[in-house]
C-alpha cells in the first residue's frame, strides 16, 4: 500500500491524452499526500489493539485507522475524503468502527465495536459488540459503601491467606487431599486476581480520562478495559459460586440439609454416570442433525450465491 501511494500516478495512465483524467488523478494524489498517515500500516502494538473474533475470521489489531473527529461535520468531511480516495478497496477484508459513549445519569460506559466484513465472494457481513461496563467505580455515597465492603473483603482475604498458609505448613501434602481446602485456595486465588484488576482499572481509567480532557480530539480506546471488565465480572461470579458451594460444609447442624448432602454424596457416582451418558446422547443427536440437514442448508446458501443447483431449494423449503 505504501508503494502504491508513492507512485507518480500521472505517469501510469492508460490514456495519457485525457486531460480530465489527468487532473482528477493529480488532485487525488495531492489529497493522499496531504493525509498519507491514513494509509500507513500500523502494527497491533502501535495501535494498542487486540484480536477480534468476527463472523468469518479472527482479525488482529493491526491496520490503518482514521479518527473521525468529535462533530458530525468533521466526520462527514473525513469520510468523504476516504470515499473519494478509495480507502476501502477490493483488498479490504474488514472495517471496524470503534466508539465509546457514557451515560452520566447511570455512570455507565458502553464500549461499541461495529465490524463490517467483506468476503471474497462479495457483499458485506455486519457484526457488532456492545459492552456496558461501570469503569468509574466510586462516584456517589452508595459507591463508597461498596468500597468499604471491598476493603473488608481484602482484609478477610489477607486473613485467610495467613490461615491457609499455616495449615499447609502444618499438614503438608495431606492438606491438598481435602476438596474443601482446594475450594479455599480457588476462592483466594480468584479474589486476588479480582483485587489486582480492580486497582489496575481504577488507575488506568483515571489516566485515560485525564488524557481525554486534555486532548479531546484523540480517540480514547476503552476496548481493552471493557473486555477485561467483563472478564472481571465473570471472575467475581465464579468466586461467589465457589463460596456458596462452601456453604454445604457448614450445614451439618440442619437435619434436612444433612440428609440432602448425604443423599447426594451416596448417589454421586450414579449422577456422574448419567451426566456422561446424557452428554454423549446430546452430542451425537446434534451431530446427526447437522449430518442430515447440513448439506441442505449449504445447498440453499450456495443457491442464493449462484453456485448450487436450484432443485435443492424446494426440498429445503419443504
Amino acid at each position: 500500500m505504501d508503494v502504491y501511494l508513492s507512485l507518480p500516478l500521472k505517469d501510469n495512465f492508460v490514456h495519457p491524452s485525457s486531460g480530465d483524467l489527468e487532473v482528477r488523478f493529480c488532485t487525488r494524489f495531492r489529497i493522499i499526500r496531504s493525509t498519507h498517515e491514513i494509509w500507513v500500516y500500523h502494527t497491533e502494538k502501535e495501535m494498542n489493539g487486540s484480536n477480534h473474533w468476527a463472523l468469518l475470521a479472527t482479525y488482529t489489531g493491526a491496520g490503518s485507522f482514521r479518527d473521525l473527529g468529535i462533530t458530525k461535520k468533521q466526520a462527514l468531511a473525513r469520510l468523504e475524503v476516504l470515499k473519494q480516495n478509495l480507502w476501502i478497496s477490493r483488498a479490504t477484508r474488514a472495517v471496524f468502527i470503534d466508539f465509546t459513549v457514557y451515560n452520566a445519569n447511570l455512570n455507565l460506559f458502553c464500549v461499541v465495536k461495529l465490524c463490517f466484513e467483506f468476503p471474497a465472494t462479495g457483499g458485506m457481513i455486519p457484526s457488532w459488540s456492545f459492552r456496558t461496563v461501570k469503569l468509574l467505580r466510586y462516584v456517589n455515597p452508595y459507591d463508597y459503601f461498596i468500597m468499604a465492603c471491598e476493603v473488608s473483603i481484602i482484609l478477610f482475604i489477607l486473613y485467610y491467606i495467613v490461615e491457609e498458609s499455616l495449615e499447609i505448613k502444618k499438614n503438608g501434602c495431606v492438606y491438598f487431599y481435602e476438596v474443601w481446602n482446594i475450594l479455599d485456595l480457588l476462592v483466594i486465588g480468584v479474589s486476588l486476581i479480582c483485587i489486582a484488576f480492580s486497582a489496575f482499572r481504577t488507575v488506568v481509567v483515571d489516566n485515560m480520562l485525564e488524557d481525554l480532557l486534555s486532548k479531546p480530539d484523540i480517540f480514547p480506546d476503552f476496548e481493552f478495559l471493557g473486555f477485561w471488565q467483563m472478564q472481571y465480572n465473570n471472575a467475581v461470579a465464579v468466586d461467589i459460586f465457589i463460596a456458596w458451594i462452601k456453604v454445604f460444609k457448614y450445614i451439618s447442624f440442619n437435619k434436612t440439609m444433612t440428609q440432602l448432602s448425604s443423599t447426594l454424596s451416596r448417589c454421586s457416582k450414579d449422577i456422574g454416570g448419567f451426566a456422561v451418558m446424557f452428554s454423549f446422547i446430546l452430542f451425537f443427536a446434534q451431530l446427526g442433525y447437522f449430518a442430515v440437514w447440513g448439506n441442505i442448508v449449504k445447498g440453499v446458501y450456495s443457491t442464493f450465491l449462484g453456485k448450487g443447483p436450484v432443485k435443492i431449494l424446494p426440498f429445503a423449503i419443504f
Side-chain angles (χ1 to χ4, degrees):
M1 184 65 74
D2 295 338
V3 176
Y4 169 76
L5 293 176
S6 63
L7 289 175
L9 296 180
K10 77 175 182 179
D11 294 337
N12 291 274
F13 293 157
V14 179
H15 301 288
S17 60
S18 176
D20 295 337
L21 187 65
E22 182 175 352
V23 171
R24 187 173 74 242
F25 272 84
C26 287
T27 304
R28 175 174 176 266
F29 185 52
R30 283 196 295 270
I31 295 175
I32 292 177
R33 290 190 61 186
S34 63
T35 58
H36 65 280
E37 295 85 359
I38 308 172
W39 278 262
V40 174
Y41 176 85
H42 300 272
T43 63
E44 184 173 323
K45 184 177 181 181
E46 292 174 342
M47 295 183 62
N48 195 24
S50 58
N51 293 341
H52 180 75
W53 188 6
L55 297 179
L56 298 181
T58 300
Y59 304 94
T60 65
S64 304
F65 71 95
R66 176 58 165 160
D67 289 329
L68 297 182
I70 58 177
T71 63
K72 181 179 179 180
K73 184 177 180 180
Q74 288 179 345
L76 291 176
R78 295 178 182 182
L79 287 174
E80 184 64 25
V81 171
L82 298 179
K83 179 181 178 181
Q84 294 296 329
N85 293 279
L86 302 179
W87 193 66
I88 300 177
S89 63
R90 291 185 178 182
T92 304
R93 285 295 168 260
V95 174
F96 297 92
I97 299 178
D98 294 285
F99 61 94
T100 303
V101 294
Y102 175 66
N103 189 323
N105 296 325
L106 300 177
N107 188 26
L108 291 175
F109 287 84
C110 186
V111 184
V112 182
K113 176 182 284 291
L114 306 179
C115 176
F116 304 93
E117 297 179 273
F118 303 95
T121 56
M124 185 270 292
I125 300 178
S127 60
W128 51 87
S129 172
F130 296 88
R131 296 191 179 101
T132 303
V133 292
K134 185 176 182 179
L135 299 178
L136 293 176
R137 299 288 295 177
Y138 313 114
V139 176
N140 53 43
Y142 178 75
D143 293 334
Y144 286 103
F145 170 74
I146 297 296
M147 183 177 66
C149 295
E150 291 175 346
V151 171
S152 63
I153 291 176
I154 294 175
L155 296 178
F156 275 113
I157 293 298
L158 294 177
Y159 168 77
Y160 282 114
I161 289 176
V162 176
E163 182 183 5
E164 298 301 321
S165 300
L166 294 176
E167 288 189 14
I168 293 175
K169 183 179 179 180
K170 178 181 178 180
N171 300 322
C173 296
V174 181
Y175 172 87
F176 299 97
Y177 295 162
E178 185 69 29
V179 177
W180 301 114
N181 295 335
I182 301 298
L183 293 179
D184 288 335
L185 295 179
L186 287 176
V187 170
I188 293 174
V190 176
S191 300
L192 290 176
I193 294 174
C194 294
I195 293 171
F197 175 78
S198 182
F200 170 78
R201 176 199 54 215
T202 303
V203 174
V204 172
V205 170
D206 290 342
N207 294 334
M208 293 184 68
L209 291 179
E210 289 179 2
D211 294 338
L212 178 61
L213 293 176
S214 60
K215 301 176 182 178
D217 295 335
I218 304 300
F219 170 67
D221 190 2
F222 287 93
E223 181 186 1
F224 175 81
L225 284 178
F227 172 78
W228 286 108
Q229 178 65 32
M230 298 298 292
Q231 307 311 312
Y232 168 83
N233 296 339
N234 296 334
V236 171
V238 171
D239 203 13
I240 294 175
F241 176 74
I242 297 175
W244 273 104
I245 293 178
K246 287 273 296 180
V247 174
F248 287 95
K249 183 179 178 181
Y250 306 103
I251 60 176
S252 57
F253 61 89
N254 190 309
K255 184 178 179 180
T256 303
M257 296 304 296
T258 301
Q259 292 176 350
L260 176 61
S261 177
S262 177
T263 303
L264 292 177
S265 63
R266 291 182 180 180
C267 65
S268 58
K269 293 183 179 180
D270 295 333
I271 294 176
F274 173 78
V276 172
M277 292 302 300
F278 180 79
S279 301
F280 271 107
I281 293 174
L282 182 63
F283 171 75
F284 284 108
Q286 293 295 323
L287 187 63
Y289 172 81
F290 286 114
V292 172
W293 295 99
N295 292 330
I296 296 179
V297 175
K298 182 179 179 182
V300 174
Y301 183 70
S302 300
T303 299
F304 283 112
L305 291 179
K307 297 181 179 180
V310 182
K311 62 181 181 180
I312 299 178
L313 187 58
F315 293 99
I317 296 176
F318 176 77

